[in-house]
Amino acid sequence: MAMSINADDCTACGACECECPSKAIRLKGAAYLIDASKCTECQGVADAPQCDDVCPSGAISRAA
């Protein structure tokens, strides 16, 4: 499983990119996106996905 960013809700603040230990988050256009092939949901690093914890707009969730 991987995390996902809803582009409509993303404010492009950059908080998530700085917190990602697997470097799976990057800016594309006006919003950030998560590379599902790199996302580990912070397993082995933290108890919960750090990007979701720091996102001020609530744009990040587990991918369906």
Side-chain angles (χ1 to χ4, degrees), residues 7-47:
D8 291 336
D9 294 333
C10 180
T11 61
C13 70
C16 59
E17 183 179 28
C18 299
E19 291 298 318
C20 183
S22 59
K23 306 295 183 209
I25 302 174
R26 66 181 173 88
L27 184 63
K28 183 173 182 182
Y32 280 85
L33 64 85
I34 298 175
D35 182 338
S37 68
K38 292 181 181 179
C39 179
T40 64
E41 292 188 12
C42 298
Q43 290 180 0
V45 178
D47 292 335

